[in-house]
Amino acid sequence: MIKCLKLILFLCFITTYNSQTTNNNSPQELFIQSIRNTSAHKTIPLGKTIYQGVFTGNGLLGTMTYLKDSSSCKINIGRTDVYDHRNGEENLFERPRIPLGYFEVKLSDNITDAVGNIDLYNAESSAEIKTNSGIIRINAITFSEEDYILLQVDDQNYKNKYEIIWVPEKSESPRKNFSYAKQPENYLPNPTAKITNHNSIITSYQPMLAGGGYSVAYTERRLNNLKYILIATDYQLNNNEAGRNAEKRLATFKWDKLSSKLKNHQTWWHQYYTKSSFNIPDQELQDFYNYQLYKLASATRANKPVIDLQGPWTDKTPWPGYWYNLNMQLTYSSLYMANHLELAESLVKAIDRNYNSLIKNVPKEYQYNSIALGRSGGPDMYAPVNVIKGSNESITNSEAETGNLTWLLYYYYQHYDFTRDEALGNKVYDLLKKSINYYLHLLGKNKNGKYQLEARTYSPEYSRGYAFNTNYDLSILRWGLKTLIEMDDKKGKKDKLHPQWQDILQNLIPFPVNEGGYMIAQDVPYTESHRHYSHLLMIYPFYEINWDQTENHNIIEKSINTWQSKPEALQGYSLTGHASMKAMMGRGNESRDIMKTFIQKFVKPNTLYAESGPVIETPLAGMQSIQELYLQYWNGITRVFPAVPEDWKDISFKNLRTSGAFLISAIRKNGKNTEVSIYSEKGGQIKIKPNFEGLFTTSGSGNLIQQNNSVYVYEVPKGKTLTLKAN
């Protein structure tokens, strides 16, 4: 917010950036430069949607600044835990995410130009609004470690009248605005918000029919010829204190400590960006990657809510909640390799916290040992699945999605596998065992003695996906069984179900296939365009069928080509999934080109994404697709620079995380891998493919245990680093 200082720093940065990028800067220095460079050069023409706005967030609160109409702009205020909590079975109406409202900056004349910018490095948004009466600038900060929002309005160069007013949004399910969404009978919005002014603090209190309520309170100050608006919020389920609580928070704010608060905010973000580094010689992809990294820490923290489809930035949407059949999985997918487990903790904590709901989600006869998760719901993860073996009762497609929880647990397991936190391992083992137990209830043997699913389940989003033996479920079941067996092997095969798991895995029916590759399900070929790759999970992300298996090259190619041959329904995540599959195949040029097409065709100016309304997951999945050009882990092997585009000659990364609690750093110069460093947090063995072109030397701590062609097994002690360098 100190404009002169920012200008000086920016000019210094621009002066040194070009020369430094060609010198021997460390990967971390180059990455921090790229963060600053993205902030400096990427501007967003402000428009009348949130996709043309600039945003901030701290995992609980957030702002989005964009235009409201020809003479005003708005600053949306979001809070990620404000969900309705009525009784009933219609999650998206009775327990939806609720918008709070916005500040409207009403000018006296029309806007002639409006440009926004996000300073990623310092986590601050700015909007410059031009009119014939001058310029007004609006900056926003959502404090990183305190739940306050600060708006700064610079009106010194605006020579006309204006006003800033708070506008509460109608407190009802945003899904109500979409005619195809069937709402419950007698559905009513919550009562009208009550706005009061007490000791220069304006409070908007929204009571809720189910009890409790939420509030937005704000106060204004003039400091150094600038107007400041400080905002606090509160949300209470069981009492009416939210308004008073927000007022108290504003009354106790220490304005004399504002400079140190801003410095602490910036320091948090500066440290955040040092956890890993990722340098791309393509400005478009680098900017995109940097924005996703910023977006993730704006959308969640270890002690904040798990990310729903909107993050802190609400808008009109038919998706006011959580979706568990792809969206949440993709949202969290990039965090593990990026070494930002502190953010991924919000997913682990949400699953642990809602364990009782996971039990209630399965039919009563299975609740004694099983858990599941249906298609969508609220923060309590109540989303029933009603698949029962032998039942002829009609159920909805969403109630037939049996695999969602096990797929979500893939990321819980990754959190364990990438940290080797054994306490976490014990928890995911118990959860995975219970989610696979649900499948065990549904299995039987066919006439050839092979296990199969003897109840119809649903392959997400395919019109005829309600069928026996969907590839969605078979892929998920195979991954779950393999993982349980591997985990129990390490425990000494103590689980009494171990022999049963092995028997099922060895005798489970093969994935249904035809001349076009993998089908949707038994007796259900792929005949219509399908944006979801639910039928291809065995290829990605589970790698059960992978490119190391030369005998499977043909089926992989055919399946992907058949899927992509019908483009009518393909969406953004169809491209990110496609790019990841190409990366597994080592086809970096194709993967990179797919990602650039994705960005240019589907990604909005501020890198948000929409399908009828804002959905956060797809650009975040794109971040992982880019990561996989540099590092992959599958089939037990960590692969360094496995799919680099041919024209990316000089690239690097630092501290990307992989299986076994190892942090990998690597440098590639003139199109050749020159250095790979392996840091071991817990000690142990790593199987790695460093992809050097010739001989290399080792230094540091570690012993070679085994070599098989270009794959090496090293034992690296706890807290030590082994470095490999090309000769």
Side-chain angles (χ1 to χ4, degrees), residues 237-275:
L237 285 172
N238 302 312
N239 61 60
N240 300 321
E241 296 298 311
R244 281 183 283 272
N245 291 345
E247 280 186 43
K248 289 176 185 175
R249 298 200 67 244
L250 291 180
T252 57
F253 185 83
K254 299 185 184 303
W255 284 93
D256 59 332
K257 302 291 185 183
L258 180 58
S259 294
S260 63
K261 289 177 183 292
L262 291 172
K263 184 177 180 180
N264 291 341
H265 165 79
Q266 292 176 355
T267 297
W268 187 96
W269 279 93
H270 298 171
Q271 292 174 347
Y272 168 75
Y273 289 123
T274 65
K275 295 280 286 185

Side-chain angles (χ1 to χ4, degrees), residues 20-256:
Q20 285 184 340
T21 54
T22 57
N23 292 336
N24 292 321
N25 290 68
S26 71
Q28 183 171 308
E29 290 170 330
L30 290 173
F31 183 61
I32 296 301
Q33 287 173 4
S34 83
I35 295 286
R36 288 175 163 170
N37 186 38
T38 296
S39 304
H41 80 83
K42 184 175 173 62
T43 58
I44 298 166
L46 297 181
K48 296 178 183 178
T49 71
I50 68 168
Y51 313 110
Q52 301 158 293
V54 288
F55 55 89
T56 68
N58 70 359
L60 180 68
L61 304 179
T63 68
M64 178 69 75
T65 305
Y66 57 106
L67 301 184
K68 182 178 184 291
D69 53 41
S70 62
S71 61
S72 63
C73 78
K74 61 195 294 188
I75 303 103
N76 271 3
I77 305 299
R79 180 169 168 136
T80 58
D81 65 345
V82 175
Y83 274 73
D84 213 335
H85 56 109
R86 308 181 193 189
N87 293 324
E89 295 299 318
E90 297 291 337
N91 277 331
L92 300 176
F93 278 95
E94 283 142 347
R95 288 178 295 283
R97 173 82 176 275
I98 299 290
L100 303 185
Y102 57 90
F103 288 92
E104 181 178 358
V105 183
K106 301 179 70 172
L107 307 176
S108 296
D109 47 357
N110 285 342
I111 296 167
T112 59
D113 190 32
V115 177
N117 176 265
I118 302 176
D119 180 347
L120 304 182
Y121 192 57
N122 293 308
E124 174 182 349
S125 74
S126 61
E128 183 176 272
I129 314 296
K130 294 182 180 179
T131 73
N132 290 330
S133 300
I135 298 172
I136 192 165
R137 294 182 177 88
I138 304 166
N139 286 24
I141 280 180
T142 303
F143 285 100
S144 183
E145 296 180 282
E146 297 183 273
D147 290 326
Y148 293 99
I149 292 169
L150 184 67
L151 305 181
Q152 179 204 71
V153 181
D154 182 352
D155 55 10
Q156 297 174 88
N157 295 314
Y158 184 69
K159 308 306 180 184
N160 211 331
K161 294 180 180 180
Y162 74 96
E163 63 176 332
I164 301 176
I165 60 172
W166 167 251
V167 181
E169 292 274 14
K170 191 173 184 179
S171 184
E172 65 180 5
S173 172
R175 197 169 171 87
K176 190 173 184 293
N177 297 310
F178 294 81
S179 59
Y180 58 79
K182 183 181 178 181
Q183 68 183 57
E185 292 183 14
N186 304 317
Y187 178 81
L188 296 173
N190 287 310
T192 303
K194 303 172 184 177
I195 298 178
T196 58
N197 189 335
H198 181 251
N199 292 333
S200 299
I201 295 175
I202 298 174
T203 302
S204 174
Y205 175 69
Q206 175 62 65
M208 303 177 81
L209 292 173
Y214 54 91
S215 65
V216 175
Y218 65 98
T219 187
E220 295 184 11
R221 286 211 177 187
R222 197 100 192 170
L223 299 171
N224 301 320
N225 294 318
L226 300 174
K227 178 182 288 188
Y228 288 89
I229 300 175
L230 183 67
I231 303 158
T233 70
D234 196 59
Y235 174 43
Q236 297 293 324
L237 285 172
N238 302 312
N239 61 60
N240 300 321
E241 296 298 311
R244 281 183 283 272
N245 291 345
E247 280 186 43
K248 289 176 185 175
R249 298 200 67 244
L250 291 180
T252 57
F253 185 83
K254 299 185 184 303
W255 284 93
D256 59 332

